Amino acid sequence: MTETLEYSPYPPIDPINFDLIIVGTGLSESIISAAASAVGKTILHLDPNPFYGSHFASLSFEDLISHLNSPPKYITATATATTDNSDYTTVNLIQQTIFSDAEFNSCNSIEESQFLRENSRKFNLDLAGPRALFSADKTIDLLLKSGAAQYLEFKGIDASLVYNTNEGLVNVPDSRGAIFRDKNLSLKEKNQLMKFFKLVQQHLGGNEDEKISEEDMESSFVSYLEKLGLPSKIKAILLYAIAMVDFDQENGGVCKDLLKTKDGIDRLAQYSSSVGRYPNAPGALLYPIYGEGELPQAFCRRAAVKGCIYVLRMPVISLLIDKVTGSYKGVRLSSGQDLYSHELILDPSFTIPSTPSLSPKDFSLQMLSHVDIKGMVARGICITRSSIKPDVSNCSVVYPPRSLYPDQVTSVRALQIGIESCC
Amino acid sequence: MHGRPRKPLKEEDESVLSAKAEKLHSLQSQFLANHQNRIYTKEALDLSAKLLEINPECYTAWNYRKLAVQHNLSESNSDSDASLFDQELKVVENALKKNFKSYGAWHHRKWVLSKGHSSIDNELRLLNDFQKADARNFHAWNYRRFVTALMKISDEDELKYTEKVIGVNFSNYSAWHNRSVLLSTLFKRKAEGFSHKEKVLQEEYKYVHSAIFTDSDDQSGWFYHLWLIDQTVKNDAPLLVSSWPSHGANITLNGNNSLHGSGLSLLNSTLSDTKTLPVILCFNQAVEGVNSSTVVVKSELLKEDLVWKPLSTNNSSTAQVWVVYLNMGNMKLQLSKTYSIEINIGHSMGILSSNGYHYGAPSQITFEVCVQTAYTEPVDGQRGKLTSWKDNDFRKIDHFEESNPAVSADHHIPTTSNWCMEAIDEEITNFQDLSDCKIRKLTLARLLIALDLLSPQHDKRKNHTEEVLKLYTELMKLDPTHSLYYKDEHSLLLLQQITSSRESLIPYCHYYKDASETNTSYVCLRLQNLSLSRMGSFENLLWVQMLDLSHNELRSIEAVTIAFKKLEKGLTVNFLTGLEAMQLLSCLNLSHNKFGSFTALGPLRLLKSLKVLNISCNELGSHSIDTRRYLCSSPLAHSEVFAWDRFEILCGSYSATKFWEAFLIFESLNLTDLNIAGNAVADENFASFIVKVLPTLKLLNDEEL
């Protein structure tokens, strides 16, 4: 709480009228800001934090710890509708942290923590990442199209590993060459896997009589794979390491999210068109060289070039609501200044308390006050001294459901990023 | 680089192209003027460089530059030598950028580097660039072998390199091929880690399985697999496969010195005329160095050293079949006395395979010759008499006498280690559960043949011939583009089956009932109506004197051509010889086949005993060019001995130059009976020509002359 007060006061923002005010510099907000500024809207882009990216940010080790330890307590005062200006009602915003709990395990020895402190400036950690992108992901196309790509550098995730109980971590046989090189698949399995890839290729090839039947496309992917007689090892590779399915597909009762064949094929297609899209990235995945936080920043830079105004360390405390119509008019900053816009975008950490002063017809505002938590994700960051697999510094790892312990209902995915290019 | 469709030219391109052609033309004429006047100035050189950058295929320009370098070297001091050569390397590099498949450019680069004035460190980098552009570019791979030899990069390192390239994309026939080349040399010099061929091959099988099983439609791995089968089955060392007379045979000569095998008479009158007895040795591969010191013939009959002759249609000093004629006329033979002849092969070094391997196991053949005053057939009686090939002139044979030396099917099967059989067995099991495709069928066929080849004769294992024949029949239907190839394989295998033992031969052997027959009759091997497209198994047919191959689909009686050998490697070891191996052959029926040119009948030239030849109803003269052949022989080819003088005299007034092919075949033969009717070529001109070429001829097209 004190931190917010430490910020040196800004001069008042001028102008005070905008087409759009955006609060939070997460990836979605940044993309909107870049897109809106590209079509000539006047935009004010605010963020309460001293860094770009909201919960997409990449922070240094120390910053991350302090951020997680003392999340800035924004204004949580009850909604007292003050009426210093006779035209508007103000509604105070509530902001929540994006995580429910954070826990730290410090190093075992003094030498280690000493070593970590000395090197802590050499890498960044993703606040809520990491997010690697498929080379053929639409986001990559967007980066190229918007021009944001010019502010970014990527590195390839060289290896994709998958865990199985018998062999431990093995490379994902995700291409013709990888299947050929694979040491753990039997000849029959190699044949089956490659045949399946060819089947998918033919399906995507567009020749009508080579397409997978409509009935199969609508059935679940796992039952389709079973129908083809693929062994469980191949199924696990296809489902969890290539199609990247979250939940155990082979246990109907537990599975909340059964993948259909058509979606499975789409994911396979994205994976395979990712492999080798860029000659210097042999794997399927790409990762921004200085961390996930680069992505929203690149879009913000793009927006700034087009005239968007950026103000960091600037919390928004309340909304200004027209007394007569009950519709949105503007925001009040923590500095006390009132700003006006036609539209407002808030990042998902904000909620608007339902107040009687809001007219029920203002549906859009009502929506925001409703918090829907679909699920929680456990994230962990490990700083290791050596690679999980020798010779590979950047790799993704998948532990399919039930591979670690019998009750494991979801895949566990990890991304290892080597220190040589900091992250 | 591969599989890109050619786009049709647009109209506007045409004008661009013609402008380009004009420019090229003027460059070329300027360059040729320089070349003629031996101008090697800097300007002239730049001009040729410019020309080569546009058209790297201009061989003359490459030669010109070589001459220029030599000229300028002699004039300059040694300091600038290196820069002179560096200049050449630059020109080559630019030319290769235009067309990296230019033979002339790569050759020029080799020439420059072999002069030893330039650094070779740059070459691997250049190669990497070219191999990145097209990993399968065999020019680059060729050059790589040259450079690595120059840089003394070890074969082991290069082997690792092929692994790297194959790992990136295993559809790389060039890389697999280089691997086979490297392994061959490593095996040959028994390099460390490569002395146990079995172990290395086992690993290689595993390696190539990955490729085959990952994508069984990709053929590059299968080709490497074929090489591995070959390495497993092949005996590097040459061995004797069969001989005539065979080991333990009794040859009975009649009183007038004509030849009779016991129970079987020889109708071969040439042999009795010249009083010679041929001895034929058939090896498992082409060898050189068969002479009186490597093959020692011991007999009280012999007074002089024997001269062994290679039976080769192209005058090569290597051949699979070697022959010597024992001159019985010079020997004073006593009646009813048995003379023993002993032949020792390979007891002293000298018989070498084309790969430089020495003769494997020294072997010995003994046979006996005796002379009897038996019934003597009037030799003349046979001459001038029509040889009929009609069915009712033949009589079936029920069985051969045990002692019959004529029909021999003795195999000198080399002993093979158990490992080879196990390896082949394992391969068969592996491919049994692979999904079906044509190349799997073909490989399976080859594996089964290899297994049968390795199985010891006494082993009562199931013979797979029927199964393989069925596979080839299926392949003919499945892959019509290559059906001729499968048909050839089918034919060869069928012949092998027929000739493999006495029992299997009997149904095809008939007595020929001569019109003047008394108590002697001749055995004829009748292989008609078998849909044969190719003839083989000659090593089992050395004894045959009368052969009927009519009503088949034969196109050639030659040895398997080079192109075939390459495709097949190893598994054709049995078929390297052509019909020339059958030195006793006297009557041959090739009517109703598909012979398209006289060249396809080439082996006939070496059949000195041939008297009766029927080549009626073929396609001789129907095709102006023999499209089956890569190299057409011509009177100018150095490989043929062509009697120009005689040819010109015979051609005489009328233009018969188109008959030179026929002349080449018939010129050295002594035929008495020739039937050539039913061929496009056989007109009156040809008939009168052939009568002149063959003065011995008594019957032409069933008509007495």
Side-chain angles (χ1 to χ4, degrees), chain A residues 64-316:
Chain A
L64 180 84
I65 300 285
S66 64
H67 184 80
L68 291 175
N69 272 336
S70 54
K73 299 281 184 313
Y74 303 112
I75 313 305
T76 50
T78 46
T80 47
T82 50
T83 49
D84 16 323
N85 188 319
S86 54
D87 294 341
Y88 305 111
T89 318
T90 58
V91 178
N92 287 352
L93 289 168
I94 300 171
Q95 194 182 16
Q96 293 175 322
T97 53
I98 54 156
F99 53 91
S100 57
D101 190 23
E103 187 184 304
F104 307 95
N105 286 319
S106 40
C107 307
N108 293 330
S109 65
I110 298 163
E111 292 85 56
E112 276 179 2
S113 53
Q114 176 72 19
F115 180 80
L116 188 59
R117 254 198 308 283
E118 277 167 11
N119 290 288
S120 66
R121 285 282 151 196
K122 290 184 182 164
F123 59 91
N124 288 330
L125 296 169
D126 289 344
L127 186 54
R131 257 178 206 82
L133 298 168
F134 281 112
S135 303
D137 194 295
K138 285 201 179 101
T139 312
I140 299 288
D141 297 335
L142 180 64
L143 282 167
L144 292 169
K145 198 178 160 196
S146 65
Q150 60 184 300
Y151 310 116
L152 281 168
E153 263 186 274
F154 285 96
K155 58 180 162 187
I157 306 300
D158 302 320
S160 302
L161 304 172
V162 63
Y163 179 83
N164 75 52
T165 328
N166 299 329
E167 285 138 4
L169 282 177
V170 296
N171 279 308
V172 178
D174 51 9
S175 66
R176 193 167 173 271
I179 296 173
F180 168 66
R181 290 189 297 269
D182 197 285
K183 298 262 192 291
N184 300 297
L185 292 173
S186 73
L187 291 176
K188 194 172 173 192
E189 286 165 340
K190 286 185 182 204
N191 193 243
Q192 285 171 320
L193 188 55
M194 188 62 208
K195 255 203 204 149
F196 181 72
F197 282 163
K198 277 192 175 174
L199 187 90
V200 173
Q201 256 165 22
Q202 274 172 353
H203 171 78
L204 298 168
N207 200 341
E208 276 306 319
D209 47 338
E210 283 171 343
K211 285 216 185 297
I212 300 166
S213 77
E214 200 58 40
E215 190 191 333
D216 285 334
M217 290 298 274
E218 290 299 325
S219 73
S220 78
F221 196 35
V222 62
S223 63
Y224 179 61
L225 297 180
E226 255 154 41
K227 187 178 154 192
L228 293 175
L230 295 173
S232 58
K233 187 172 165 187
I234 304 267
K235 272 191 296 189
I237 289 169
L238 287 171
L239 286 168
Y240 308 112
I242 295 180
M244 302 273 184
V245 185
D246 295 326
F247 292 99
D248 189 350
Q249 302 284 304
E250 287 158 282
N251 194 343
V254 188
C255 182
K256 298 175 186 170
D257 188 12
L258 208 56
L259 189 72
K260 280 186 178 173
T261 304
K262 57 177 181 185
D263 300 322
I265 300 282
D266 285 348
R267 290 186 184 202
L268 252 55
Q270 183 181 55
Y271 194 105
S272 74
S273 50
S274 294
V275 174
R277 180 177 183 188
Y278 297 103
N280 44 1
L285 297 169
L286 293 175
Y287 184 77
I289 201 160
Y290 300 114
E292 182 192 20
E294 292 290 292
L295 289 173
Q297 248 185 86
F299 284 108
C300 290
R301 282 182 75 171
R302 200 65 214 148
V305 167
K306 297 283 180 184
C308 171
I309 296 171
Y310 278 87
V311 184
L312 295 186
R313 298 179 204 167
M314 183 55 79
V316 172

Side-chain angles (χ1 to χ4, degrees), chain B residues 396-409:
Chain B
K396 272 200 135 344
I397 296 177
D398 300 331
H399 68 284
F400 288 121
E401 287 169 42
E402 263 318 296
S403 60
N404 192 329
V407 186
S408 72

